[in-house]
Amino acid sequence: MTAVTGRVAAAERGETRIADRVVAKIAAQAAKEAVDHPPSNGASPRATVTVHRDAARVRVSLELGYPCDIGRQCGAVRSRVAQRVTSLAGMEVPEVAVQVERLHPATGGAQGRIR
């Protein structure tokens, strides 16, 4: 520490560590934001994260409304999760695995089987 300014040099300050559960919460919220039409009776997305140094590998489980373009929805989730974790936690995100747990049929319209 310098006597003149009273500030600690950058190299001597230490580091900030963000807990895995915090990164998982960021990822789950980002997944929720990315889904176009979330099912009204579906569960909120859940995320698990493995952090190694400054990289986070993310696995997101979610439910989607059906019919929808599942591939496009999963791509949007992957993109949004990677972007938000990078911007808010300052971590690289080399992998985002998206698992669709359940599809919920759209409400309204015809009941029963559609031919």
Side-chain angles (χ1 to χ4, degrees):
M1 182 158 60
T2 62
V4 177
T5 62
R7 295 186 179 176
V8 177
E12 298 174 14
R13 289 186 202 145
E15 67 179 350
T16 301
R17 180 164 169 7
I18 300 172
D20 293 8
R21 64 185 169 84
V22 173
V23 179
K25 286 182 181 184
I26 292 170
Q29 179 61 36
K32 186 175 183 178
E33 294 167 1
V35 175
D36 284 342
H37 303 288
S40 59
N41 57 345
S44 293
R46 295 173 314 281
T48 56
V49 176
T50 303
V51 176
H52 182 65
R53 298 186 189 190
D54 289 333
R57 296 191 186 281
V58 181
R59 176 174 294 279
V60 177
S61 298
L62 51 81
E63 298 180 6
L64 296 174
Y66 186 82
C68 72
D69 184 341
I70 297 170
R72 187 180 62 73
Q73 288 288 293
C74 290
V77 168
R78 278 191 289 276
S79 176
R80 181 70 174 177
V81 167
Q83 182 265 327
R84 296 296 281 168
V85 170
T86 298
S87 68
L88 294 175
M91 297 180 178
E92 292 180 40
V93 185
E95 178 184 348
V96 178
V98 178
Q99 181 174 344
V100 178
E101 292 284 332
R102 185 173 179 183
L103 297 173
H104 292 271
T107 57
Q111 295 288 338
R113 187 172 175 172
I114 299 173
R115 296 176 194 231

